[in-house]
């Protein structure tokens, strides 16, 4: 990854504008734009060069200019940015370009049956959400349109960077892809081989753009926006940073960003931008205003993961400046600006990490992250290629199967004092024959039951103290204990529910213990035989979280931090090397479901929040920042205790 200098408090100013709209940019006022940038406390902004409709908003010599563009909009926007001291980045579209797709339908992505990749449905209309088709990276499109337009923008406008949008890998069976696949020795009839081709093609595109941009300006930022796959470290050399597009009120939801940021924050030397939006829902929404408290909370959450904040907005086709939206953004950015000293150059100080092996988070991995979020356990997400030495416990959720290399790495982690918390089939070899790490159990096979019940036999395992068997919707493995202590047992139902054999409205009641333990804990591992994390992701049963946190406390009885907050509270602990201090981020808000949207509006203060710390060195000072108010604390051996008098939306605590 090329190291560049990013800046916080960014805006992504969308401008996808149809050729059926006239007067484009006719009402743009540079002075009003400067005012908006200042009102918004904005330090950097993504401005549109070429949009998904395929139109340019500057005086393009390549023939791409919007037919109804009334002014050199982009040049004037950039001039206003320079006047306001704001860094301009220019946006270019890649795989979605409606104008090019109309001109060259033979360049669009093809399904296996030869049909073109079509439009998606609109969220609240019978009409398509958009009409642009996905263009193939192996067609002449990249050489004839994307590279020339990018070069023109870089040389003519000299932005501080490029934001290349819609760059994901897409399996395609067009003639160009088949020809390239054959040249690489791939089988064009193999779905797996064509997926490999899609990944290769994306990498080839990124390399071409990176060489072009950095040949013109070695200091330019460069980002290729796609689905943000994990474990794509080879792509690091073709971008300057990472961005996580995650609008909570869009289809992402409020748990998407932290689950992903916990991973990307672990990439060494990688600056990360978290992108939310000012919209009530998502992109393309005019006249939608998120509640200011929601945007403040989202920005504070982004900052708590060491990320820079970007907020999406959409400029009106006329270029008329919507000052209300910039004021809304400014409420969040003003707070970030005041906190900058305590946000920059920090690292995650978590002791617990969720181990992943796939490019996308599975339901089980998301369930694990949600549990840790709601229990206020600071965590990271790591893959096998990362350094785990800073963590004390690794979670292996439900179905993380091992090869020899990964099993050896996990054994080494345990030998050095690390502990594992696994569930279901995690820890088994790829054929599901035996465990390749020591979890205190022997694998006997897959459970024959479609549901199971868990009964705690340890009085301290469940915080609620429930001792009766409770239902778990995903069964898992049958095991026998070979070491450690059994803390919970599995109960089986009378029978598996079927059309001809059922009882009551849902599940058959529990009948008797199955003979297989549910929870076993040893000195180096904790194991839960059910697929508890998938069940939590789908059903959200509180007892599942209690069970996992109970096992975690057995493995990590003296954690670095303990915070007394309701489940909607969020906690992150970060460390700054210069100056040497810890920064504790605390957040509290309760999204409510309104229709299909989860919204944050009312902020209810939480008073007298108890906090306990066990840090490497005893604190000399604890204070609220940026307020500067000192907090009294008590020291008992390695344990530091203090009380936060009031938590209203978000608060930073400096520990030195």
């Amino acid at each position: 990854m090329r190291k560049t200098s990013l800046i916080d408090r960014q805006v992504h100013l969308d401008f996808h504008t149809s050729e059926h709209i006239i007067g484009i940019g006719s009402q743009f006022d540079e002075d009003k734009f400067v005012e908006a940038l200042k009102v918004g406390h904005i330090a950097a902004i993504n401005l549109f060069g070429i949009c998904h409709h395929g139109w340019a908003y500057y005086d393009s010599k390549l023939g791409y200019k919007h037919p109804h563009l009334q002014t050199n909009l982009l040049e004037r926007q950039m001039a206003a940015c320079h006047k306001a001291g704001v860094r301009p980045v220019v946006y270019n579209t890649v795989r979605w370009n409606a104008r090019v797709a109309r001109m060259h339908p033979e360049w669009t992505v093809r399904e296996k049956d030869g049909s073109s990749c079509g439009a998606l449905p609109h969220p609240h209309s019978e009409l398509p959400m958009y009409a642009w088709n996905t263009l193939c990276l192996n067609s002449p499109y990249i050489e004839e349109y994307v590279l020339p337009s990018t070069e023109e923008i870089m040389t003519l406008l000299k932005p501080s960077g490029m934001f290349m949008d819609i760059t994901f890998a897409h399996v395609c069976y067009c003639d160009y892809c088949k020809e390239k696949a054959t040249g690489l020795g791939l089988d064009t009839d193999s779905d797996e081989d064509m997926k490999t081709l899609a990944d290769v093609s994306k990498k080839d595109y990124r390399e071409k753009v990176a060489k072009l941009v950095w040949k013109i300006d070695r200091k330019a930022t460069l980002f290729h926006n796609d689905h943000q796959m994990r474990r794509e470290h080879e792509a690091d050399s073709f971008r300057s940073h990472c961005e996580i597009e995650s609008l909570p009120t869009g289809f992402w939801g409020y748990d998407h960003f932290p689950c992903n940021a916990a991973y990307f924050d672990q990439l060494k030397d990688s600056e990360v931008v978290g992108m939310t939006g000012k919209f009530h829902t998502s992109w393309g929404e005019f006249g939608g205003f998120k509640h200011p408290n929601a945007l403040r909370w989202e920005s504070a959450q982004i900052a708590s993961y060491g990320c820079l904040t970007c907020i999406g907005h959409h400029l009106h086709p006329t270029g008329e400046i919507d000052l209300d939206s910039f004021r809304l953004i400014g409420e969040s950015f003003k707070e970030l600006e005041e906190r900058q000293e305590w946000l920059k150059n920090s690292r995650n100080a978590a002791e617990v990490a969720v181990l992943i092996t796939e490019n996308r988070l599975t339901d089980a991995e998301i369930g694990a992250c949600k549990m840790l979020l709601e229990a206020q356990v600071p965590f990271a997400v790591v893959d096998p290629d990362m350094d785990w030495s800073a963590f004390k416990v690794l979670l292996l959720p439900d179905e993380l199967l091992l090869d020899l290399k990964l099993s050896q790495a996990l054994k080494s982690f345990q030998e050095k004092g690390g502990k594992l918390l696994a569930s279901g089939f995690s820890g088994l070899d790829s054929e599901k024959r035996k465990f390749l790490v020591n979890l205190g159990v022997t694998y006997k096979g897959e459970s024959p039951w479609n549901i199971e019940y868990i009964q705690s036999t340890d009085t301290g395992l469940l915080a609620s103290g429930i001792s009766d068997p409770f239902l778990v919707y995903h069964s898992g493995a049958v095991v026998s204990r070979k070491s450690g202590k059994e803390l919970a047992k599995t109960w089986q139902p009378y029978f598996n529910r079927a059309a001809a054999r059922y009882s009551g409205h849902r599940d058959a009641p529990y009948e008797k213990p199955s003979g297989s333990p549910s929870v076993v804990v040893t000195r180096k591992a904790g194991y839960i035989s059910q697929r508890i994390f998938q069940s939590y992701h789908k059903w959200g049963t509180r007892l599942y979280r209690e069970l996992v946190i109970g096992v975690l406390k057995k493995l990590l009885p003296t954690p670095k931090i303990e915070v007394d907050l309701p489940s909607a509270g969020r906690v992150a602990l970060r460390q700054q090397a210069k100056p040497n201090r810890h920064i504790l981020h605390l957040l509290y808000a309760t999204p409510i479901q309104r229709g299909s949207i989860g919204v944050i509006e009312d902020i209810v203060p939480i008073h007298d929040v108890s906090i306990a710390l066990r840090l490497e060195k005893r604190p000399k000072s604890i204070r609220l920042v940026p307020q500067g108010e000192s907090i009294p604390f008590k020291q008992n051996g390695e344990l530091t205790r203090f009380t936060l008098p009031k938590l209203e939306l978000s608060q930073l605590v400096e520990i030195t």
Side-chain angles (χ1 to χ4, degrees):
M1 184 174 294
R2 183 182 292 268
K3 191 72 172 176
T4 56
S5 178
L6 278 182
I7 196 165
D8 203 2
R9 307 191 319 276
Q10 305 175 18
V11 162
H12 187 89
L13 194 61
D14 247 29
F15 201 61
H16 300 293
T17 308
S18 169
E19 61 274 13
H20 299 293
I21 298 177
I22 62 173
I24 307 304
S26 59
Q27 302 301 312
F28 180 74
D29 184 310
E30 290 180 36
D31 291 336
K32 196 171 182 180
F33 191 45
V34 170
E35 179 187 358
L37 294 171
K38 292 181 178 179
V39 164
H41 293 262
I42 294 164
I45 189 167
N46 296 335
L47 302 170
F48 267 48
I50 299 175
C51 75
H52 289 338
H53 290 275
W55 302 116
Y57 301 98
Y58 62 96
D59 190 17
S60 172
K61 309 303 180 186
L62 299 172
Y64 309 154
K65 189 163 69 172
H66 194 291
H68 303 298
L69 186 65
Q70 300 293 298
T71 183
N72 288 331
L73 180 61
L74 181 53
E75 291 98 324
R76 293 179 63 195
Q77 287 176 320
M78 293 184 67
C81 286
H82 293 312
K83 185 176 181 180
V86 172
R87 186 180 298 181
V89 172
V90 172
Y91 173 105
N92 196 1
T93 189
V94 180
R95 302 206 70 151
W96 290 346
N97 188 313
R99 184 179 65 86
V100 172
R102 287 194 302 270
M103 294 169 56
H104 295 282
E106 73 278 11
W107 291 356
T108 59
V109 166
R110 299 288 160 172
E111 306 290 358
K112 208 166 190 177
D113 63 3
S115 61
S116 182
C117 180
L120 294 179
H122 196 281
H124 49 261
S125 169
E126 294 180 358
L127 299 174
M129 185 163 67
Y130 47 70
W132 42 78
N133 292 55
T134 303
L135 289 155
C136 178
L137 296 179
N138 292 318
S139 72
Y141 167 61
I142 297 299
E143 298 291 340
E144 295 187 21
Y145 284 87
V146 175
L147 294 178
S149 61
T150 302
E151 183 175 18
E152 182 179 60
I153 290 168
M154 287 297 300
T155 54
L156 179 66
L157 303 173
K158 297 179 173 58
S160 63
M162 292 295 303
F163 185 102
M164 309 298 291
D165 199 14
I166 314 300
T167 65
F168 49 79
H170 199 304
V171 176
C172 175
Y173 294 89
C174 75
D175 291 341
Y176 300 105
C177 285
K178 289 180 179 179
E179 181 180 354
K180 184 169 183 176
T182 300
L184 294 172
L186 299 173
D187 181 359
T188 58
D189 291 324
S190 165
D191 292 343
E192 193 61 36
D193 276 13
M194 295 306 280
K195 183 180 182 298
T196 298
L197 175 69
D199 293 335
V200 169
S201 301
K202 183 176 76 168
K203 183 178 178 181
D204 290 346
Y205 144 77
R206 286 183 171 190
E207 184 174 9
K208 289 175 183 176
V209 170
K211 286 182 178 179
L212 171 64
V213 168
W214 287 327
K215 181 179 180 181
I216 297 170
D217 184 354
R218 291 184 57 81
K219 295 182 179 180
T221 60
L222 175 62
F223 179 67
H224 307 274
N225 191 36
D226 60 16
H227 299 303
Q228 284 314 287
M229 300 291 190
R230 277 141 291 279
R231 306 204 66 194
E232 281 194 340
H233 305 303
E234 75 279 356
D236 288 356
S237 59
F238 307 135
R239 64 187 179 200
S240 60
H241 62 283
C242 297
E243 299 200 20
I244 304 171
E245 182 182 357
S246 183
L247 281 61
T249 51
F251 59 83
W252 290 270
Y254 270 99
D255 291 327
H256 175 270
F257 175 79
C259 295
N260 284 272
Y263 173 82
F264 286 102
D265 179 41
Q266 293 298 303
L267 294 176
K268 291 184 178 179
D269 300 322
S270 174
E271 291 179 290
V272 183
V273 175
M275 181 186 289
T276 183
K278 74 98 189 177
F279 317 105
H280 176 66
T281 56
S282 193
W283 301 110
E285 179 184 80
F286 289 94
F289 290 86
K290 185 173 285 178
H291 195 284
N293 286 339
L295 210 50
R296 290 173 57 214
W297 192 91
E298 290 160 23
S299 298
Q301 179 179 243
I302 290 170
S304 74
Y305 284 87
C307 300
L308 307 175
T309 303
C310 180
I311 296 177
H313 179 28
H314 203 304
L315 183 66
H316 192 272
T318 64
E320 176 68 26
I321 303 302
D322 171 13
L323 277 177
D324 284 338
S325 290
F326 284 93
R327 290 190 188 99
L328 173 62
I329 292 168
E331 289 192 43
S332 299
F333 280 180
K334 183 176 184 294
E335 291 184 355
L336 289 180
E337 192 173 21
E338 294 169 346
R339 297 177 174 190
Q340 280 302 297
E341 179 184 343
W342 297 276
L343 302 180
K344 58 188 178 183
N345 300 323
S346 68
R347 65 175 181 83
N348 192 345
E351 298 174 288
V352 177
V354 178
L355 179 63
I356 66 171
T357 55
E358 302 297 327
N359 264 342
R360 281 196 177 89
L361 290 175
T362 65
D363 287 351
E365 291 158 358
I366 295 170
C369 293
K370 284 183 177 181
M371 285 188 185
L372 297 172
L373 283 168
E374 293 166 10
Q376 292 86 47
V377 177
F379 70 98
V381 176
V382 297
D383 65 39
D385 298 322
M386 290 178 173
D387 180 7
W388 310 332
S389 60
F391 304 106
K392 293 184 177 179
V393 180
L394 288 181
L395 268 62
L396 282 59
D398 290 1
E399 299 193 53
L400 195 147
L401 304 181
L402 308 182
D403 58 22
L404 183 60
K405 180 180 177 182
L406 182 52
S407 67
Q408 289 175 340
L410 290 170
K411 288 176 182 177
S412 176
F413 176 76
Q414 287 181 301
E415 288 169 0
K416 294 175 182 177
K419 299 178 181 180
L420 305 179
L421 198 170
S423 61
F425 305 106
S426 289
L428 292 171
D429 66 278
S430 60
E431 302 297 325
K432 291 186 177 180
R433 294 169 300 187
K434 63 178 181 178
F435 288 111
L436 296 184
V437 287
N438 187 0
L439 300 175
V441 292
T442 300
Y443 182 65
K444 298 294 185 180
E446 188 169 349
S447 170
W449 308 109
N450 54 12
I451 57 102
E452 290 179 331
Y453 296 86
I454 299 174
Q455 182 185 33
S456 170
T457 55
D458 182 279
T459 55
L461 188 60
L462 298 177
S464 59
I466 290 176
S467 58
D468 288 338
F470 62 87
L471 174 66
V472 60
Y473 296 94
H474 290 84
S475 59
V478 176
V479 298
S480 62
R481 180 178 65 87
K482 66 177 184 180
S483 63
K485 183 178 180 181
E486 178 181 315
L487 303 184
K489 60 179 62 178
T490 299
W491 282 61
Q492 67 189 47
Y494 279 92
F495 44 75
N496 286 330
R497 188 180 181 92
R501 194 183 194 201
Y502 60 91
S503 176
H505 289 79
R506 289 187 65 98
D507 306 302
Y510 52 85
E511 181 189 17
K512 60 185 179 182
S514 68
S516 174
S518 172
V519 176
V520 172
V521 173
T522 71
R523 289 189 306 107
K524 295 185 177 182
Y527 175 74
I528 303 170
S529 64
Q530 288 75 25
R531 290 171 291 165
I532 200 80
F533 296 107
Q534 291 180 53
S535 280
Y536 192 75
H537 175 59
K538 185 170 183 178
W539 299 104
T541 303
R542 170 181 55 89
L543 287 172
Y544 302 166
R545 187 180 73 232
E546 283 191 21
L547 183 73
V548 169
I549 298 305
V551 175
L552 181 60
K553 286 182 177 180
K554 301 287 185 182
L555 301 175
L556 191 62
T558 55
K560 188 178 290 187
I561 180 168
E562 295 176 271
V563 178
D564 179 24
L565 275 176
S567 60
R570 298 290 182 263
V571 172
L573 183 65
R574 303 193 66 83
Q575 187 169 8
Q576 290 177 308
K578 295 181 181 180
N580 185 11
R581 61 189 177 189
H582 283 83
I583 307 298
L584 178 62
H585 296 250
L586 300 111
L587 298 91
Y588 181 77
T590 52
I592 59 173
Q593 197 71 18
R594 189 174 294 158
S596 61
I597 303 293
V599 299
I600 289 176
E601 264 184 31
D602 305 317
I603 300 300
V604 179
I606 301 290
H607 296 275
D608 299 326
V609 179
S610 299
I611 300 167
L613 295 172
R614 296 178 181 85
L615 302 178
E616 293 80 4
K617 65 174 185 176
R618 296 184 178 184
K620 296 178 180 178
S621 167
I622 298 177
R623 62 181 188 138
L624 306 181
V625 289
Q627 300 95 318
E629 178 183 340
S630 294
I631 297 291
F633 60 94
K634 294 181 179 180
Q635 193 74 36
N636 183 8
E638 64 174 7
L639 184 64
T640 305
R641 291 190 180 275
F642 65 96
T643 299
L644 179 67
K646 181 180 180 181
L647 171 58
E648 189 168 6
L649 193 142
S650 71
Q651 179 63 57
L652 301 186
V653 180
E654 176 197 75
I655 303 126
T656 56

